[in-house]
Amino acid sequence: MAIILKKLDPKIQPTQIELRDLESPESKNKITSPDSVGFKQNSGLGEPLVQIGSIRLAPGQIRSLKILQDEFVPRIIITLIDRDSEFSAGKFPISNILISVFIKSAVKKLKNFSCDFIITNINSFNISDRDIQYTFTGDMHIPKLHNNISKAFSQVTSRDALLLIANDLQLGFSDNLTENTNDKMTWLIPNYSYKSAITHISKLAYSNETQFFECFIDRYYMLNFINIEKQFEKLDEDLNIAYILGDSSNIGGAERANPDKDSLEPASMPLQITNYPGFRDTELFILEYSLVSNHGEILKNNSLQRNLYWYDHGGNIDNELTRTSDLDSDNFNKQFIEPLTGKQDNNGTLPQTTSVSEFLDKKTVIGQWVGIDYGNAHTQYKFSQLINDHNHKDIEKNMLKVKLFGFSHNIIRGSRLRVEIYIDRESSDIAESNRLDDDSTIEQSNEISDYKGNTEQILRDSFLSDSYYVKTINYRYMNGIFETDLLLTKRNWIPSIKNKIKT
């Protein structure tokens, strides 16, 4: 695993939502009721602080809010009730089409969420004679992102080209690369939008045949360039630190909060999420979890092995060849790829290769024609798009869907995350009987986590407990409650037992 490090600070400044001063001695609106104490300091903590156009939403007006980090840029969906026709009576966001959102972190060491979204769609319907329900959707507002440009980034790597684009857009830039990519060339941007240019460059990024990449903009206006393969490599999990509030005395591994300091002083611990009871009421506590799969769909569309075909214009020419057919045959290239497997950990897991014979025996192979290589790009220009795309899809075959308590400020998209799932002994016994056989190892069994005096009668589920890649993060606010939804992926799983027919 490689830590994601910031290489460039963002210069974009989100809108500062103005709040009425209710407490300072100079305030003309000073109110001394208990409800007003800490109003400004606590705004955005229990409920999102939202401004649509020029209107700041009143407390309780939000029916639901979702912030989605599952595409290239973060998106928002917000539903509210317009009880006094405030939007309809001259304040509908006709020209000021921005939504500003502020969500405060209770932990001072963690950054608040503050972001502007450009409204892309508004739907509404009447729910009573006086009340209208509005639903707004929008994308993170990044000036110039959709502007078309024509330029060339001369003799730079994909990583350096993306850094130059981030600087042009006043975005920050983060990556987890321990060394630069191996794809120096002149990157031509012929009347592409900045967004299309980023997508174009990132899908052709290349280091070697065992690496693949992802690129996206996160909630902090950071353009992230992630070597996903590095996130599957084993490293000391203690390098990822979480900060939590509350009584951490019953949480193993937590550095205790200093009792002599402010009660809001956080405790630090290795970052992990779990359903272990001691983590309840922290943003690291798992409320729900379930598995999802696209394995069959991906195999149907991409197979296990994919072939790439292209014509190498001017390459591999033998001067003794004179016939056009010989020249064509010599320059016609074919290359294949299978999903990466990486280094195997000694934990009983194996790559998620299908057991269906037509794919396993490579009877079904998908081919793709990618045109002509004129020799004016990096040497793996054609192959890089295959290795990136094929391995992206491979890690989406089987995934873990997790719901967390609260708005998680600790977890960032693209990172490696430790997950610890616990189940009761009875459920564990049923699971073990279904997935273990004589060939199973102790690492594949839940019994390895048992210990003398286990009064809670819960065991660590070895099938689901592991390190995952954080593919998407979505936040939800509804009925006064924040929740965080994660989609987590990994390459290696404990294999299923072989079905044996007894006679």
Side-chain angles (χ1 to χ4, degrees), residues 34 39 54 89 129 153 155 179-180 183 249 275 331 366 386 400 434 450 453 464:
F39 171 75
S54 58
D129 293 340
F153 297 105
Q155 292 303 304
E179 57 185 12
N180 210 334
D183 52 11
S249 59
N275 64 341
N331 292 345
I366 302 296
L386 179 64
L400 180 65
N434 289 327
D450 203 3
L464 293 178

Side-chain angles (χ1 to χ4, degrees), residues 287-338:
L287 297 171
E288 299 174 7
Y289 64 91
S290 60
L291 286 165
V292 294
S293 176
N294 303 305
H295 200 157
E297 184 71 18
I298 290 170
L299 281 178
K300 184 181 70 174
N301 294 326
N302 297 276
S303 189
L304 188 64
Q305 182 184 101
R306 283 174 67 184
N307 288 344
L308 196 69
Y309 307 96
W310 73 93
Y311 184 80
D312 189 0
H313 182 76
N316 303 318
I317 291 182
D318 186 340
N319 293 328
E320 296 182 3
L321 296 175
T322 57
R323 293 182 304 173
T324 302
S325 59
D326 291 335
L327 288 171
D328 287 343
S329 176
D330 200 41
N331 292 345
F332 183 77
N333 283 274
K334 171 185 175 182
Q335 198 159 7
F336 76 90
I337 188 174
E338 294 180 354

Side-chain angles (χ1 to χ4, degrees), residues 4-245:
I4 301 173
L5 298 176
K6 180 172 63 176
K7 306 297 174 61
L8 180 69
D9 286 314
K11 297 178 182 178
I12 296 176
Q13 296 295 323
T15 300
Q16 299 295 311
I17 302 175
E18 295 184 3
L19 295 174
R20 180 175 294 181
D21 181 6
L22 300 177
E23 299 180 66
S24 70
E26 298 80 16
S27 173
K28 296 180 180 180
N29 305 298
K30 188 174 181 181
I31 302 174
T32 57
S33 67
D35 292 342
S36 72
V37 177
F39 171 75
K40 190 170 185 179
Q41 293 87 338
N42 294 324
S43 293
L45 191 59
E47 179 180 4
L49 191 60
V50 178
Q51 180 172 297
I52 299 178
S54 58
I55 299 176
R56 179 165 58 83
L57 300 186
Q61 196 171 4
I62 299 173
R63 173 163 284 190
S64 68
L65 179 145
K66 294 180 181 178
I67 298 168
L68 309 173
Q69 290 189 110
D70 55 4
E71 295 184 0
F72 177 67
V73 296
R75 301 176 293 130
I76 191 171
I77 303 173
I78 180 170
T79 299
L80 58 90
I81 305 300
D82 183 17
R83 292 194 169 87
D84 296 311
S85 298
E86 190 171 16
F87 285 99
S88 304
K91 292 189 177 181
F92 191 86
I94 292 175
S95 56
N96 186 349
I97 54 172
L98 291 182
I99 299 175
S100 301
V101 181
F102 176 79
I103 299 173
K104 186 179 180 65
S105 170
V107 178
K108 294 180 181 179
K109 290 189 176 183
L110 298 175
K111 193 172 182 179
N112 299 323
F113 177 89
S114 183
C115 189
D116 288 337
F117 297 86
I118 187 165
I119 299 171
T120 57
N121 186 266
I122 305 174
N123 288 315
S124 65
F125 65 89
N126 292 77
I127 57 178
S128 71
D129 293 340
R130 297 185 56 187
D131 296 343
I132 304 173
Q133 177 172 300
Y134 284 95
T135 297
F136 299 80
T137 59
D139 296 337
M140 174 186 270
H141 177 51
I142 301 168
K144 302 196 302 181
L145 180 64
H146 300 283
N147 287 9
N148 280 27
I149 57 170
S150 294
K151 62 166 55 178
F153 297 105
S154 179
Q155 292 303 304
V156 295
T157 64
S158 58
R159 182 257 185 201
D160 292 339
L162 292 170
L163 180 58
L164 291 169
I165 291 177
N167 189 58
D168 281 355
L169 294 174
Q170 296 191 321
L171 292 167
F173 185 83
S174 295
D175 66 36
N176 66 333
L177 275 63
T178 54
E179 57 185 12
N180 210 334
T181 51
N182 184 27
D183 52 11
K184 183 179 288 188
M185 59 175 278
T186 296
W187 298 89
L188 300 176
I189 312 299
N191 200 34
Y192 290 171
S193 67
Y194 273 107
K195 179 182 178 182
S196 296
I198 293 170
T199 303
H200 170 72
I201 293 171
S202 61
K203 78 176 184 180
L204 297 168
Y206 182 83
S207 277
N208 57 54
E209 60 185 15
T210 64
Q211 314 288 326
F212 66 108
F213 299 90
E214 182 173 28
C215 193
F216 56 86
I217 297 171
D218 70 12
R219 66 187 188 234
Y220 298 128
Y221 293 93
M222 301 292 294
L223 179 62
N224 290 264
F225 184 49
I226 306 298
N227 184 332
I228 300 178
E229 186 63 26
K230 289 289 184 183
Q231 301 304 69
F232 289 131
E233 294 178 0
K234 191 173 182 179
L235 195 66
D236 185 0
E237 303 285 354
D238 292 347
L239 292 176
N240 282 339
I241 300 298
Y243 296 97
I244 58 173
L245 292 178

